[in-house]
């Protein structure tokens, strides 16, 4: 069995995803033994975190689209994977899809998304170039409630893999849920803003979620400060981790 076939068999998707040219393999090449057992999560999904951690883009997108790792899959119209430049230096991480994102399958396309686009333009960026946008949870929480810690934990392997594949130079955490998930902390957003954090070796800047800014426009100025700080970090040839230039608390 070739490695690709083995991976799809582990997902229980074989032969649905069998490439046409391989469907003619001699019968004796099909494995007689059962697919290896994978750890089951609470939702009964036979997809281990180890499997997600080695997935390529296409596999990862398929895994997310069919994911049942948490209860959010029951009410979604579709999972919202992420969008943008897969070699981006900038990665923006939000909370989860809203109603419009759930319908269209793209993150940040509602009113908050339009504000994010404005924020990007303000620092000379756009979502199609050098920017990748994803959320902590890929499925819409009902009534746009905040995703639970359990839901965030269930979905984090996908975001971890997206970050590992993109290898961004900088991550901007948009809002408390993203900051908490990325930094494994429960500090307030106010306490996290204005400091330099890290995801592994990747600098993380925390700022307000655009949806919050729609309700609290007075804080747009602080977000502007955060983005300028991020811009400065990215332009800087080296980013000290010892707090000599910024206060690193993670
Ligand atoms: S939110 Fe994430 S973990 Fe939950 S079902 Fe959707 S893709 Fe899976």
């Amino acid at each position: 069995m070739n490695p690709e076939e083995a991976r799809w068999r582990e997902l229980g998707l074989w032969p649905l995803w069998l490439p046409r040219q391989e469907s003619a393999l001699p019968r004796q090449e099909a494995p007689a033994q059962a697919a290896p057992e994978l750890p089951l999560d609470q939702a009964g999904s036979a997809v281990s975190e180890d499997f997600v951690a080695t997935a390529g883009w296409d596999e990862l997108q398929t895994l997310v689209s069919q994911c049942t790792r948490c209860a959010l899959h029951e009410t979604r119209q579709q999972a919202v994977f992420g969008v943008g430049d897969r070699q981006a230096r900038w990665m923006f991480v939000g909370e989860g899809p809203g109603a419009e994102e759930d319908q269209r399958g793209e993150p940040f396309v509602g009113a908050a998304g339009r504000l994010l686009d404005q924020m990007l333009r303000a620092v000379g960026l756009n979502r199609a170039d050098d920017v990748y946008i994803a959320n902590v949870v890929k499925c819409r929480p009902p009534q746009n409630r905040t995703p639970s810690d359990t839901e965030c934990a269930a979905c984090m392997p996908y975001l971890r893999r997206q970050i590992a594949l993109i290898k961004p130079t900088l991550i901007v955490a948009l809002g408390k849920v993203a900051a908490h998930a990325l930094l494994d902390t429960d500090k307030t957003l106010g306490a996290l803003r204005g400091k330099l954090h890290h995801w592994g070796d990747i600098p993380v800047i925390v700022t307000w979620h655009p949806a919050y800014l729609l309700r609290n426009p007075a804080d747009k100025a602080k977000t502007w400060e955060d983005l300028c700080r991020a811009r400065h970090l990215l332009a800087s040839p080296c980013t000290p981790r010892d707090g000599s230039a910024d206060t690193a608390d993670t």
Side-chain angles (χ1 to χ4, degrees):
M1 183 187 345
N2 65 50
E4 186 178 0
E5 178 180 337
R7 293 167 75 82
W8 288 117
R9 281 188 183 280
E10 285 175 352
L11 290 173
L13 298 177
W14 194 266
L16 180 63
W17 297 93
L18 186 69
R20 285 180 192 279
Q21 66 272 23
E22 293 183 11
S23 63
L25 285 172
R27 185 179 295 273
Q28 60 269 27
E29 289 193 32
Q33 72 274 27
E37 273 196 24
L38 293 170
L40 299 182
D41 65 17
Q42 287 179 343
S45 169
V47 177
S48 72
E49 290 192 21
D50 287 348
F51 189 94
V52 175
T54 59
W57 278 112
D58 291 345
E59 276 179 331
L60 193 63
Q61 198 149 1
T62 301
L63 289 171
V64 168
S65 70
Q66 301 182 4
C67 179
T68 57
R69 287 175 62 89
C70 83
L72 295 183
H73 81 278
E74 295 168 3
T75 49
R76 73 183 175 211
Q77 292 197 40
Q78 58 187 310
V80 179
F81 182 70
V83 71
D85 180 351
R86 291 177 175 178
Q87 276 94 43
R89 291 182 303 156
W90 293 74
M91 184 163 182
F92 288 79
V93 178
E95 178 178 313
E100 202 166 334
E101 288 82 4
D102 184 48
Q103 276 194 339
R104 291 174 53 182
E106 183 176 336
F108 285 98
V109 290
R114 288 188 285 279
L115 179 54
L116 176 62
D117 287 339
Q118 289 175 13
M119 291 161 57
L120 294 178
R121 277 198 295 275
V123 288
L125 299 170
N126 71 75
R127 66 169 65 203
D129 183 23
D130 208 13
V131 169
Y132 193 88
I133 303 170
N135 282 312
V136 173
V137 294
K138 312 302 189 198
C139 303
R140 181 195 180 200
Q143 285 79 51
N144 291 349
R145 66 165 168 76
T146 302
S148 70
D149 290 347
T150 304
E151 290 157 355
C152 290
C155 213
M156 273 305 284
Y158 301 127
L159 181 60
R160 268 189 223 109
R161 187 58 185 152
Q162 285 174 307
I163 296 172
L165 287 166
I166 295 166
K167 300 184 186 70
T169 308
L170 178 77
I171 298 173
V172 179
L174 298 167
K176 191 170 69 173
V177 169
H180 286 182
L182 288 167
L183 304 177
D184 194 23
T185 180
D186 60 359
K187 291 182 182 175
T188 65
L189 196 99
L192 295 169
R193 267 197 66 249
K195 297 175 181 173
L196 180 62
H197 308 274
H198 285 86
W199 170 273
D201 289 333
I202 303 171
V204 176
I205 292 286
V206 174
T207 194
W208 303 108
H209 191 285
Y212 167 88
L213 294 174
L214 289 173
R215 300 189 301 272
N216 302 273
D219 281 328
K220 285 182 182 175
K222 292 178 184 170
T223 300
W224 170 248
E225 286 172 19
D226 296 332
L227 292 178
C228 287
R229 179 185 178 82
R231 191 85 189 148
H232 174 76
L233 268 175
L234 214 59
S236 182
C238 70
T239 306
R241 291 209 56 188
D242 59 7
S244 58
D246 298 278
T247 306
D249 64 352
T250 57

